[in-house]
Amino acid sequence: MRAKLEILALVLGAIGLVGTIAVTALPMWKVTAFIGPNLIVMEAQWEGLWMACIRQADIRMQCKVYDSLLILPGDIQAARGLMCVSIVLAVLAVLVSVCGMRGIDYYQDDSRGKNVILLVGGCLFVAAGLATLIPVSWSTHTIIRDFYNPLVLESQKREIGQALYVGFATFLVLLIAGVILLCRYAPRERKDEEDGPYVPVEKDKMSMLERTPSSNSYWKSQYV
């Protein structure tokens, strides 16, 4: 059962890694809000971390990479860095988990090594999930705030894009993967603490029992 949970955590972590890459690459962070009479409903505008796209009614789509980082709003600039950090953390988490599961056969008696690998892998998955949640939540808050702000022009208002929904789902997947590994770490640590001290005590008792007959025979011989 324990091995199945660890494999499940690894599979969820790999799915989270793919989701993180998809969220970073998709241009659908902010989409056009069709709320005003002046908007052209024959085309939709998408804004992502790296490019902006215009999709027309005849399914033609044109994308253009941003010319400068300075023209981007603060939430998009921060999202670029945080999503790149999230990808790196997710890759490290998957590699640590894979190496740990492959290395279990080589050090089956080393319980501390298993615990450390579970702890590091779980922490990396949780950190990757948090690094994904922060920019996704920040962008979502900015979109909702501007949407209900009467001072913002209707042509500049945007709606929540599909990439943000994928980002929230990715955060949940990475969080579940990390929690599974951390929960598997805690029982193992407690079991090691409970089982560890009793082994040398039993050995000492056995050695004392083995020495007891010889010592009794020695004292008998002295009295005789």
Side-chain angles (χ1 to χ4, degrees), residues 8 23 66 72 84 88 128 130 132 141 155 165 171 187 195 211:
L8 175 62
V23 172
Y66 296 124
L72 300 177
C84 292
V88 173
L130 293 177
T132 302
H141 170 72
S155 59
Y165 294 109
F171 159 71
D195 297 343
R211 290 196 299 269

Side-chain angles (χ1 to χ4, degrees), residues 3-196:
K4 292 181 179 179
L5 286 176
E6 293 173 359
I7 293 175
L8 175 62
L10 180 60
V11 172
L12 292 176
I15 295 174
L17 173 60
V18 175
T20 304
I21 296 174
V23 172
T24 307
L26 287 175
M28 294 174 290
W29 280 59
K30 300 178 181 180
V31 298
T32 306
F34 302 102
I35 57 176
N38 297 326
L39 292 180
I40 302 176
V41 297
M42 297 297 295
E43 64 181 19
Q45 297 181 3
W46 299 344
E47 297 178 7
L49 299 181
W50 314 99
M51 65 183 68
C53 299
I54 298 178
R55 183 176 181 180
Q56 299 178 353
D58 56 356
I59 319 181
R60 292 180 54 191
M61 185 170 60
Q62 297 178 351
C63 296
K64 181 181 180 182
V65 179
Y66 296 124
D67 297 329
S68 175
L69 181 64
L70 300 177
I71 64 176
L72 300 177
D75 59 329
I76 297 298
Q77 294 182 15
R80 279 188 170 188
L82 288 173
M83 291 306 300
C84 292
V85 171
S86 177
I87 292 175
V88 173
L89 292 175
V91 170
L92 290 177
V94 172
L95 291 178
V96 169
S97 301
V98 170
C99 294
M101 295 181 66
R102 289 177 62 88
I104 285 177
D105 297 334
Y106 297 99
Y107 47 86
Q108 292 181 354
D109 297 333
D110 188 4
S111 298
R112 290 186 178 275
K114 299 177 184 178
N115 292 337
V116 171
I117 291 175
L118 288 175
L119 178 62
V120 174
C123 291
L124 288 174
F125 277 128
V126 173
L130 293 177
T132 302
L133 177 65
I134 293 174
V136 170
S137 301
W138 189 355
S139 297
T140 303
H141 170 72
T142 302
I143 293 172
I144 296 175
R145 182 195 61 192
D146 294 341
F147 188 86
Y148 291 104
N149 188 358
L151 300 179
V152 178
L153 299 178
E154 293 181 349
S155 59
Q156 297 179 352
K157 294 182 178 181
R158 297 291 183 265
E159 290 182 353
I160 301 174
Q162 292 84 346
L164 296 180
Y165 294 109
V166 177
F168 285 114
T170 300
F171 159 71
L172 292 177
V173 172
L174 291 173
L175 181 63
I176 293 172
V179 169
I180 290 176
L181 293 181
L182 292 177
C183 290
R184 300 315 302 168
Y185 165 80
R188 279 182 173 177
E189 186 69 19
R190 289 196 297 267
K191 184 177 179 181
D192 294 340
E193 292 177 357
E194 293 175 359
D195 297 343

